[in-house]
Amino acid sequence: MELTFYIAAAVAVLATIMVITRYNMIHALLYLVVSFLAVAVVFLTMGAPFMAALEVIVYAGAIVVLIIFVIMMLSLTREDVEQEKAWLQPKLWMGPALLSFVLLAELVYLLVIAEMPAAPAVAGSYVDARAVGLALYGPYVLGVQLSGILLMAGIVGAYHLGRQKKKVIHRFLQEKEPQKERSAAI
Amino acid sequence: MEELLWLIPALPFAGALLLVLLGNRISRALVSAIGVGSVGISAAITLVLGIEYLTSRPSFIRQEVWQWFDVAGFSPSIAFHLDALSMVFIFVITFVGFLIHIYSTEYMAEDKDYARFFACMNLFVGSMLMLVMADNLLLLYLGWEGVGLCSYLLIGFWYKEPANGYAARKAFIITRVGDTAIAIGLFMLFQQFGTLHIQSISTEAVQVWTIGNETAVIIAFLLLGGAVGKSGQLPLQTWLPDAMAGPTPVSALIHAATMVTAGVYLIARMHVVFELAPAAMMAVAVIGAITLLIAGFAALTQYDIKRVLAYSTISQVGYMFLALGVGAWSAGVFHFMIHGFFKALLFLCAGAIILALHHEQDMRKMGGLSKKLPVVFYTFLIGAASLAAFPLVSAGFYSKDQILWLQLAGENGNIWLYLAGLLGAFITSIYTFRMVFLTFYGEEKTHVGHKPTWAITVPLIVLAVLSFAGGFIELPHNFGHVVLFSDFLAPILPAVSIVPDFTQYEWMLQLLAAVISLGGIFIAYLFYYKKPELIDSIHRSEFAMAVHRFWHSGWGFDQLYDALFVRPYVYLSKVNKSDFIDSFYTFLADATQGLHDLFSRSQTGIMRNYVAGIVVGAIMILTISLLL
Amino acid sequence: MTTIPMETGLLLAGVLFMLGLISVMIRRNIIFMLISVEIMLNAAGLAFIVAGSHWAQPDGQIMFIFILTMAAAEVSVGLALILQIHHQLKTLNSDAANFMRG
């Protein structure tokens, strides 16, 4: 089991690195699916099989498919890949990468110095879907309702923003030119 | 009926408020009804209260409306005080004010800011009423400042003409000099007595101070400063001729019923303090004497009919000061009342002429109006006779004669003051009838356009009757001996004690005054009607023309003040254009602006930078928490 | 089952999160930024799962479900915004949408 975890973790990290270095969006998304699947395996090794299933269905399934649909709608071409390549210059990504590494180093340092409390003496850390479901509709029922409202807002928002009427320009983007002038004046 | 007292000032205020709020949204007829009606009802209440006051004769009526505030033992009230002195003033203000309001309905009929005009006029009358009815000096000061504000609003009524705005500012700023003096005087009075209640001060002052007490003298001089500013006396008289920039009814209101007489009222009201300060009394008399001469000479040379009247007002208020200065309180107030009648009459006549001649104010372009405007002519003649103190039949004769006589006969009198007054009377009759001859006689030079209707003629006739008959309520000792007016004022204002030796000469002095007045009229007749070539001979003389120019400019006071105060001040402000005290605050503002520019540059609109910012912040917080 | 130490799991979450963060910072393509945000959210969820597994409690998994819900809503609204931006600006360059710069 331990070995499975390490292999899955390594796959996840590698796949994620591939995601962030791809120029082609579809390639990146495929690696992203790999990454999500690897994380699902990690969940399995952590004793959370239900979460592993959700990870595969929602992340690797729904979300990635959604993104792919959008990419298909945008009908990207080879020039976009070239464009992506031009944008990803080393001098551009060195700084942010360094910053992130500093942050990571600090996180690791915190992990090392922190005195991890010993795990409770429970037989196995396996938490099945039943326990999750009981907790979800027990103490966390309010959170579930809030999640429902959030999803509702997401649907309405996505519908409203996604409409593409010819004449109606969203108010955020109206009067492009005067705004440009004004910002230039400032 | 006494409880109606508060309505007298409240009604004009209410009218002003109503007109301000409704403005031009209501018809002109309604505006007139509110504007004229409020003052008219005030006048009616005054009449009713006056009759009651005369029959029951209480020493005074006091009505407290509410307590204004109460701070550290200082608790002035909004309270009104009615005694003989304020009665006279209220009477003149409401009645003359009412007549002027009626007159204005026609005079201002064409103006598009009709409602604004009546709102200001009502406010003016209300402020003046509050001034004369105030029970304490703080309320008086409120009315005093209200009058100053309204004079500013009304002088600059036609504000689109920059010169009018200048005149309004000039009036406001110059009277402000006097107002500052009176404010300091009020502080000192409060420090001395712990109250500003006029009655308490009057009773306590006699006990606390001896005659000539230094504080009393200082306070009296400070109050005099305020009075001088409002009443247009030397050295603060320069605003008054320029105040002619306002519409003519405003000039009539300022000069006859309100504003300029505020100083007279203040001195008469605080006469207890002035009696304790002989030096200040002397100053009042001297200022009055000098002012009446200077203004008289200046009036001789003016061509603008309103400016003549303005200078004559300064001169006549000078007479009032002369009377007050020798302790002839009731004579001063009597002259105020008579002057209120005939000066309002003269101004309203002048307004009718100006209206008839399409806003022509230059007397050289008038003439021959006696046939065209007969009502105006005869009423103007009565007013002029009163101003020139035409013997026996005019009210002005009796009031002025009383003042002149008391200069000699009063115990504080002085031969020089008498002579100044006499010379002033002579000049007065010259310039008055110069005005009459230039305006009404000779050939017609400008076509008469607007014929006055009843709204103008009725006030003129009423005022003419008052200017004519007003004098008969107070006749000299040797001539009828009617003393209704001074008896009426006797409980408030002490009578002047008369040196007995002079009584036998009284008729001689009256004769002299009569001769002087008639002589002045004759000279005016000679120069301006009979032999105009005499004027030309004067005009040929170099020296005479220089004097003429000097007098025409009001004795060069404007130029003097310009050189003494205005230009050095302007120079200093130019030197210190970028105020060095302000530099600290400008620096603050600039630094804030600079920082703002700096930080606004961080808002690039590029999301990646914001994310980087968040990361840097997270790193900083983590580092700090690790290090600590 | 409990042989995997918690530090290792948290380290994995941290590394994934950092990778997502780098990507958000270096990418101009707004779809890539959205993908990177997904990676980061997933990493955060992983941390919850690790902690929940360590204590053998369901709470960590419940937090992951909430994060999942949130991610779904976020991605749908985000994609709608991307469509709008592409429609209006004819580009996916997030720097082009900088009208609010100071």
Side-chain angles (χ1 to χ4, degrees):
Chain A
M1 215 55 173
E2 225 173 305
L3 190 65
T4 324
F5 170 80
Y6 286 117
I7 293 171
V11 169
V13 171
L14 284 174
T16 310
I17 290 172
M18 293 305 275
V19 170
I20 68 173
T21 51
R22 287 314 87 189
Y23 303 130
N24 191 316
M25 246 178 272
I26 297 297
H27 298 174
L29 276 172
L30 288 175
Y31 279 111
L32 186 64
V33 171
V34 174
S35 166
F36 283 154
L37 290 175
V39 171
V41 172
V42 169
F43 286 176
L44 210 58
T45 61
M46 287 285 182
F50 184 44
M51 290 310 115
L54 278 184
E55 173 89 9
V56 172
I57 295 166
V58 179
Y59 266 120
I63 290 177
V64 171
V65 168
L66 205 57
I67 295 173
I68 288 174
F69 273 145
V70 170
I71 290 169
M72 282 157 67
M73 279 170 76
L74 297 180
S75 64
L76 298 170
T77 54
R78 185 151 288 280
E79 281 89 76
D80 290 295
V81 178
E82 294 301 314
Q83 174 79 71
E84 201 65 34
K85 202 171 181 175
W87 280 343
L88 213 57
Q89 297 296 328
K91 65 170 181 179
L92 247 163
W93 58 257
M94 282 302 278
L98 204 68
L99 270 181
S100 300
F101 273 113
V102 171
L103 196 58
L104 182 72
E106 281 187 333
L107 278 174
V108 172
Y109 177 68
L110 277 172
L111 275 178
V112 170
I113 62 161
E115 289 178 16
M116 287 291 166
V122 189
S125 62
Y126 184 81
V127 182
D128 60 0
R130 178 188 152 79
V132 174
L134 282 175
L136 200 57
Y137 290 95
Y140 287 101
V141 71
L142 192 66
V144 174
Q145 286 170 349
L146 286 176
S147 303
I149 294 169
L150 179 70
L151 285 173
M152 179 72 184
I155 291 166
V156 174
Y159 171 72
H160 174 69
L161 292 169
R163 271 191 311 179
Q164 288 197 359
K165 279 188 190 169
K166 265 281 178 261
K167 288 292 164 193
V168 180
I169 299 170
H170 193 270
R171 65 187 163 85
F172 285 165
L173 301 165
Q174 263 172 2
E175 290 175 26
K176 223 181 319 180
E177 294 312 307
Q179 268 181 354
K180 254 182 187 164
E181 278 167 25
R182 201 174 61 207
S183 54
I186 291 165
Chain B
M1 291 310 282
E2 289 172 20
E3 58 271 18
L4 290 180
L5 189 58
W6 66 277
L7 277 175
I8 297 177
L11 280 170
F13 278 132
L17 191 67
L18 217 56
L19 289 176
V20 166
L21 293 179
L22 298 176
N24 288 329
R25 281 188 286 281
I26 53 177
S27 70
R28 290 192 170 221
L30 199 55
V31 170
S32 318
I34 294 171
V36 179
S38 61
V39 181
I41 297 170
S42 277
I45 294 173
T46 310
L47 198 64
V48 172
L49 277 175
I51 291 168
E52 195 179 79
Y53 186 83
L54 280 174
T55 48
S56 64
R57 289 258 169 183
S59 63
F60 64 87
I61 300 169
R62 182 174 186 275
Q63 189 187 28
E64 177 160 348
V65 184
W66 74 81
Q67 185 168 357
W68 196 350
F69 56 80
D70 185 356
V71 177
F74 178 46
S75 50
S77 312
I78 304 283
F80 299 118
H81 178 94
L82 183 73
D83 59 14
L85 178 61
S86 42
M87 192 75 224
V88 173
F89 273 84
I90 296 168
F91 177 73
V92 173
I93 293 163
T94 52
F95 273 87
V96 176
F98 176 53
L99 292 173
I100 294 171
H101 273 73
I102 294 178
Y103 176 92
S104 308
T105 55
E106 181 172 339
Y107 191 85
M108 301 300 287
E110 305 295 320
D111 203 280
K112 67 177 169 52
D113 285 322
Y114 196 65
R116 180 162 66 91
F117 180 79
F118 273 102
C120 292
M121 291 284 272
N122 275 3
L123 193 62
F124 205 160
V125 171
S127 303
M128 191 64 196
L129 285 169
M130 195 158 79
L131 196 164
V132 297
M133 289 171 71
D135 161 76
N136 59 67
L137 285 168
L138 195 68
L139 191 60
L140 184 147
Y141 193 64
L142 182 67
W144 185 277
E145 292 296 329
V147 169
L149 167 71
C150 293
S151 69
Y152 170 76
L153 292 174
L154 283 169
I155 293 169
F157 182 74
W158 288 317
Y159 56 88
K160 284 175 185 161
E161 192 70 44
N164 294 350
Y166 175 78
R169 286 197 301 279
K170 187 175 177 186
F172 196 69
I173 290 167
I174 290 180
T175 53
R176 193 67 47 243
V177 175
D179 294 356
T180 313
I182 192 179
I184 298 169
L186 295 193
F187 297 152
M188 288 183 72
L189 273 174
F190 179 68
Q191 190 209 20
Q192 287 285 314
F193 299 106
T195 178
L196 286 178
H197 190 246
I198 295 170
Q199 302 298 311
S200 321
I201 290 176
S202 298
T203 48
E204 276 179 45
V206 191
Q207 294 157 12
V208 176
W209 288 329
T210 53
I211 289 179
N213 181 297
E214 208 170 291
T215 324
V217 173
I218 293 171
I219 290 174
F221 265 105
L222 286 169
L223 294 180
L224 173 62
V228 157
K230 266 292 186 274
S231 292
Q233 298 294 290
L234 202 75
L236 299 176
Q237 84 285 26
T238 53
W239 66 270
L240 221 144
D242 286 342
M244 294 301 108
T248 309
V250 173
S251 311
L253 199 59
I254 288 180
H255 287 243
T258 59
M259 187 91 179
V260 293
T261 55
V264 178
Y265 174 78
L266 182 74
I267 294 178
R269 179 51 84 196
M270 301 308 292
H271 66 91
V272 177
V273 175
F274 278 90
E275 275 165 356
L276 291 169
M281 288 279 278
M282 196 63 208
V284 173
V286 170
I287 286 175
I290 298 175
T291 310
L292 76 89
L293 283 178
I294 284 181
F297 281 117
L300 266 181
T301 56
Q302 304 300 321
Y303 291 112
D304 185 333
I305 187 166
K306 283 176 76 180
R307 281 183 91 89
V308 176
L309 290 172
Y311 277 112
S312 98
T313 301
I314 300 176
S315 169
Q316 296 305 307
V317 177
Y319 273 106
M320 295 173 212
F321 270 56
L322 196 60
L324 298 174
V326 297
W329 309 110
S330 72
V333 175
F334 185 52
H335 192 56
F336 148 73
M337 187 176 83
I338 302 298
H339 173 257
F341 296 146
F342 70 68
K343 190 49 62 70
L345 172 61
L346 289 173
F347 262 114
L348 297 188
C349 285
I353 295 167
I354 291 165
L355 200 61
L357 299 182
H358 316 284
H359 291 273
E360 179 56 62
Q361 301 192 2
D362 193 332
M363 288 195 293
R364 284 169 294 189
K365 292 177 185 155
M366 298 173 181
L369 293 174
S370 57
K371 296 283 183 296
K372 299 278 179 187
L373 302 167
V375 177
V376 177
F377 171 61
Y378 287 114
T379 50
F380 193 90
L381 206 56
I382 292 171
S386 208
L387 174 58
F390 194 81
L392 300 180
V393 294
S394 73
F397 175 69
Y398 297 107
S399 64
K400 205 179 277 182
D401 173 63
Q402 196 183 17
I403 292 174
L404 288 178
W405 185 62
L406 288 171
Q407 296 306 318
L408 274 185
E411 59 176 351
N412 296 324
N414 182 317
I415 184 79
W416 293 108
L417 294 176
Y418 172 75
L419 287 178
L422 207 59
L423 182 58
F426 181 60
I427 300 163
T428 306
S429 61
I430 295 179
Y431 70 67
T432 309
F433 276 86
R434 167 177 176 262
M435 198 159 58
V436 171
F437 288 123
L438 280 178
T439 313
F440 291 102
Y441 290 92
E443 69 270 32
E444 189 182 335
K445 289 166 191 156
T446 311
H447 176 67
V448 173
H450 181 92
K451 289 269 185 189
T453 61
W454 70 270
I456 283 184
T457 52
V458 168
L460 292 185
I461 292 166
V462 173
L463 285 169
V465 169
L466 285 172
S467 314
F468 172 71
F472 295 119
I473 58 168
E474 178 88 5
L475 294 178
H477 305 278
N478 56 346
F479 186 84
H481 192 71
V482 180
V483 287
L484 285 175
F485 192 80
S486 44
D487 273 359
F488 179 61
L489 284 174
I492 310 300
L493 300 170
V496 57
S497 48
I498 291 164
V499 182
D501 304 349
F502 277 104
T503 2
Q504 47 190 321
Y505 300 119
E506 191 173 356
W507 65 270
M508 253 172 68
L509 297 176
Q510 282 161 353
L511 195 64
L512 188 59
V515 167
I516 284 284
S517 163
L518 289 174
I521 295 170
F522 176 71
I523 287 181
Y525 170 75
L526 199 66
F527 272 68
Y528 293 98
Y529 187 67
K530 194 75 180 169
K531 292 180 177 165
E533 61 271 17
L534 282 174
I535 299 283
D536 297 333
S537 68
I538 288 176
H539 280 200
R540 274 191 292 278
S541 153
E542 197 66 30
F543 173 72
M545 281 318 287
V547 172
H548 179 274
R549 275 195 298 276
F550 184 53
W551 288 351
H552 185 76
S553 67
W555 292 66
F557 272 99
D558 276 332
Q559 288 82 343
L560 182 70
Y561 291 161
D562 197 42
L564 270 184
F565 301 111
V566 178
R567 254 180 272 152
Y569 184 79
V570 170
Y571 172 74
L572 278 179
S573 353
K574 264 185 193 151
V575 167
N576 195 15
K577 205 172 188 175
S578 52
D579 189 353
F580 75 98
I581 296 170
D582 263 5
S583 54
F584 173 69
Y585 302 100
T586 5
F587 164 74
L588 267 187
D590 287 348
T592 318
Q593 180 71 43
L595 280 177
H596 159 77
D597 288 346
L598 203 66
F599 284 123
S600 79
R601 215 163 289 165
S602 73
Q603 189 166 358
T604 51
I606 297 170
M607 255 190 288
R608 296 172 297 138
N609 296 356
Y610 298 164
V611 177
I614 293 170
V615 172
V616 170
I619 290 173
M620 274 165 66
I621 290 169
L622 268 179
T623 313
I624 288 168
S625 68
L626 279 176
L627 289 178
L628 295 180
Chain C
M1 284 285 278
T2 55
T3 43
I4 304 156
M6 191 165 81
E7 285 86 347
T8 325
L10 289 179
L11 186 66
L12 174 63
V15 169
L16 288 178
F17 188 87
M18 185 204 69
L19 289 170
L21 195 59
I22 292 174
S23 182
V24 171
M25 280 193 283
I26 63 174
R27 288 285 184 175
R28 278 192 211 185
N29 191 318
I30 198 158
I31 293 181
F32 268 111
M33 292 173 86
L34 191 70
I35 291 171
S36 312
V37 169
E38 291 307 311
I39 295 172
M40 286 163 74
L41 278 172
N42 191 40
L46 177 61
F48 273 112
I49 296 282
V50 170
S53 153
H54 182 72
W55 298 105
Q57 293 290 321
D59 306 63
Q61 300 190 16
I62 285 164
M63 282 302 143
F64 180 74
I65 290 177
F66 288 155
I67 289 173
L68 205 67
T69 319
M70 202 271 286
E74 176 248 334
V75 98
S76 57
V77 175
L79 285 171
L81 279 172
I82 287 171
L83 283 178
Q84 275 290 343
I85 287 172
H86 189 258
H87 185 68
Q88 302 291 341
L89 304 179
K90 311 284 180 235
T91 175
L92 285 174
N93 185 356
S94 70
D95 293 2
N98 64 348
F99 304 134
M100 301 256 296
R101 74 161 176 268

